[in-house]
Coordinates of all heavy atoms in Angstrom, one line a residue:
T1 N 0.9 -1.2 0.0 CA 0.0 0.0 0.0 C 0.8 1.3 0.0 O 0.3 2.4 0.0 CB -0.9 0.0 1.3 OG1 -0.1 0.0 2.4 CG2 -1.9 -1.2 1.3
L2 N 2.2 1.2 0.0 CA 3.1 2.2 0.1 C 3.8 2.6 -1.2 O 4.3 3.7 -1.4 CB 4.1 2.0 1.2 CG 3.6 1.9 2.6 CD1 4.7 1.4 3.6 CD2 2.9 3.1 3.2
V3 N 3.8 1.6 -2.1 CA 4.6 1.9 -3.4 C 3.5 1.8 -4.6 O 2.5 1.2 -4.4 CB 5.6 0.8 -3.6 CG1 6.6 0.8 -2.4 CG2 5.0 -0.6 -3.7
P4 N 3.9 2.5 -5.7 CA 3.0 2.4 -6.8 C 2.9 1.0 -7.4 O 3.9 0.3 -7.4 CB 3.7 3.4 -7.8 CG 4.6 4.2 -7.0 CD 5.1 3.3 -5.8
A5 N 1.7 0.7 -7.9 CA 1.5 -0.7 -8.4 C 2.5 -0.9 -9.7 O 2.9 -2.0 -9.9 CB 0.1 -0.9 -8.9
S6 N 2.9 0.2 -10.3 CA 3.7 0.0 -11.5 C 5.2 -0.1 -11.2 O 6.0 -0.3 -12.1 CB 3.5 1.3 -12.4 OG 3.9 2.5 -11.6
S7 N 5.5 -0.1 -9.8 CA 6.9 -0.1 -9.5 C 7.5 -1.5 -9.6 O 8.8 -1.6 -9.8 CB 7.1 0.3 -8.0 OG 6.5 -0.6 -7.2
G8 N 6.7 -2.5 -9.6 CA 7.2 -3.9 -9.6 C 7.7 -4.4 -8.3 O 8.4 -5.5 -8.3
L9 N 7.5 -3.7 -7.2 CA 8.0 -4.0 -5.9 C 7.0 -4.6 -5.1 O 5.8 -4.2 -5.0 CB 8.6 -2.7 -5.2 CG 9.8 -2.0 -5.9 CD1 9.9 -0.6 -5.3 CD2 11.1 -2.8 -5.5
V10 N 7.4 -5.7 -4.4 CA 6.5 -6.3 -3.3 C 7.5 -6.7 -2.2 O 8.7 -6.8 -2.3 CB 5.8 -7.5 -3.8 CG1 4.7 -7.2 -4.8 CG2 6.8 -8.6 -4.3
G11 N 6.9 -7.0 -1.0 CA 7.7 -7.4 0.2 C 7.3 -6.7 1.4 O 6.2 -6.2 1.6
Q12 N 8.2 -6.8 2.4 CA 8.0 -6.2 3.7 C 9.3 -5.7 4.4 O 10.4 -6.1 3.9 CB 7.3 -7.2 4.6 CG 8.0 -8.5 4.7 CD 7.6 -9.5 3.7 OE1 6.5 -9.6 3.3 NE2 8.7 -10.3 3.2
I13 N 9.1 -4.8 5.3 CA 10.3 -4.1 5.9 C 10.0 -4.1 7.4 O 8.9 -3.8 7.8 CB 10.5 -2.7 5.4 CG1 10.8 -2.8 3.9 CG2 11.7 -2.1 6.1 CD1 10.8 -1.4 3.1
A14 N 11.0 -4.3 8.3 CA 10.8 -4.2 9.7 C 12.0 -3.3 10.3 O 13.1 -3.5 9.9 CB 10.8 -5.6 10.4
L15 N 11.5 -2.5 11.3 CA 12.5 -1.8 12.1 C 12.5 -2.4 13.5 O 11.4 -2.6 14.0 CB 12.2 -0.3 12.1 CG 13.1 0.6 13.1 CD1 14.5 0.7 12.4 CD2 12.5 1.9 13.2
S16 N 13.7 -2.7 14.0 CA 13.8 -3.1 15.4 C 14.9 -2.4 16.1 O 15.8 -1.9 15.6 CB 14.1 -4.7 15.5 OG 15.3 -4.9 14.8
R17 N 14.7 -2.3 17.5 CA 15.7 -1.5 18.3 C 16.1 -2.5 19.4 O 15.3 -2.9 20.2 CB 15.0 -0.3 18.8 CG 16.0 0.5 19.7 CD 15.2 1.7 20.2 NE 16.1 2.5 21.1 CZ 15.7 3.7 21.8 NH1 14.4 4.0 21.7 NH2 16.5 4.2 22.5
G18 N 17.4 -2.6 19.5 CA 18.0 -3.3 20.7 C 19.2 -2.4 21.2 O 18.9 -1.2 21.4
R19 N 20.4 -2.9 21.2 CA 21.5 -1.9 21.5 C 21.6 -0.9 20.3 O 22.1 0.1 20.5 CB 22.8 -2.7 21.7 CG 24.0 -2.0 22.0 CD 25.2 -2.8 22.1 NE 25.2 -3.8 23.3 CZ 26.0 -4.7 23.5 NH1 27.0 -4.8 22.8 NH2 25.8 -5.6 24.5
Y20 N 21.3 -1.4 19.1 CA 21.3 -0.6 17.9 C 20.0 -0.7 17.2 O 19.2 -1.6 17.4 CB 22.4 -1.1 16.9 CG 23.8 -1.3 17.5 CD1 24.2 -2.5 17.9 CD2 24.6 -0.3 17.7 CE1 25.5 -2.7 18.5 CE2 25.8 -0.3 18.2 CZ 26.3 -1.6 18.7 OH 27.5 -1.7 19.2
L21 N 19.7 0.2 16.3 CA 18.5 0.1 15.3 C 19.0 -0.9 14.3 O 20.2 -0.8 13.7 CB 18.3 1.5 14.8 CG 17.6 2.5 15.7 CD1 17.6 3.8 15.1 CD2 16.2 2.0 16.1
H22 N 18.0 -1.6 13.8 CA 18.2 -2.6 12.7 C 17.1 -2.4 11.7 O 15.9 -2.4 12.1 CB 18.3 -4.0 13.1 CG 19.7 -4.4 13.6 ND1 20.0 -4.4 14.9 CD2 20.8 -4.8 12.9 CE1 21.3 -4.8 15.1 NE2 21.8 -5.0 13.9
L23 N 17.4 -2.3 10.4 CA 16.3 -2.3 9.3 C 16.4 -3.5 8.5 O 17.5 -3.8 8.0 CB 16.5 -1.1 8.5 CG 15.4 -0.8 7.5 CD1 14.1 -0.3 8.2 CD2 15.8 0.3 6.5
T24 N 15.4 -4.4 8.6 CA 15.4 -5.6 7.8 C 14.5 -5.5 6.6 O 13.3 -5.1 6.7 CB 14.7 -6.7 8.7 OG1 15.6 -6.9 9.8 CG2 14.7 -8.1 8.0
L25 N 15.1 -5.8 5.4 CA 14.5 -5.6 4.1 C 14.3 -7.0 3.5 O 15.2 -7.8 3.5 CB 15.4 -4.8 3.2 CG 15.8 -3.4 3.6 CD1 16.8 -2.8 2.6 CD2 14.6 -2.5 3.7
D26 N 13.1 -7.2 3.0 CA 12.7 -8.5 2.4 C 11.9 -8.2 1.2 O 10.6 -8.2 1.2 CB 11.9 -9.3 3.4 CG 11.8 -10.8 3.1 OD1 12.3 -11.2 2.0 OD2 11.3 -11.6 3.8
L27 N 12.6 -7.8 0.1 CA 11.9 -7.2 -1.0 C 12.2 -8.1 -2.3 O 13.2 -8.7 -2.4 CB 12.5 -5.8 -1.3 CG 12.4 -4.8 -0.2 CD1 13.1 -3.6 -0.5 CD2 11.0 -4.5 0.2
L28 N 11.2 -8.0 -3.2 CA 11.3 -8.6 -4.6 C 10.9 -7.5 -5.6 O 10.0 -6.7 -5.4 CB 10.2 -9.7 -4.8 CG 10.6 -11.1 -4.2 CD1 9.5 -12.1 -4.4 CD2 11.9 -11.7 -4.9
F29 N 11.7 -7.5 -6.7 CA 11.6 -6.5 -7.7 C 11.4 -7.3 -9.1 O 12.2 -8.1 -9.4 CB 12.7 -5.6 -7.8 CG 12.8 -4.6 -9.0 CD1 11.6 -4.0 -9.2 CD2 13.9 -4.4 -9.7 CE1 11.6 -3.0 -10.4 CE2 13.9 -3.5 -10.7 CZ 12.7 -2.9 -11.1
Q30 N 10.3 -7.0 -9.7 CA 10.0 -7.5 -11.1 C 9.9 -6.3 -12.0 O 8.9 -5.7 -12.1 CB 8.8 -8.3 -11.2 CG 8.5 -9.0 -12.5 CD 7.3 -9.9 -12.4 OE1 6.8 -10.2 -11.4 NE2 6.9 -10.4 -13.6
P31 N 11.1 -6.1 -12.8 CA 11.1 -4.9 -13.7 C 10.0 -5.1 -14.7 O 9.7 -6.1 -15.3 CB 12.4 -4.9 -14.3 CG 13.3 -5.8 -13.5 CD 12.3 -6.8 -12.8

């Protein structure tokens, strides 16, 4: 719901915080 349908992108992203911040990307791109 955050990217244009024409982008070819699907997937999910997570932010977590421990001693450090971590960004986890789990993305697929179909040009």
Side-chain angles (χ1 to χ4, degrees):
T1 61
L2 299 171
V3 302
S6 60
S7 67
L9 294 165
V10 295
Q12 54 273 319
I13 301 169
L15 176 71
S16 60
R17 180 183 179 186
R19 182 180 298 175
Y20 307 101
L21 288 170
H22 279 95
L23 190 68
T24 298
L25 304 171
D26 196 354
L27 303 175
L28 278 177
F29 173 47
Q30 185 171 352

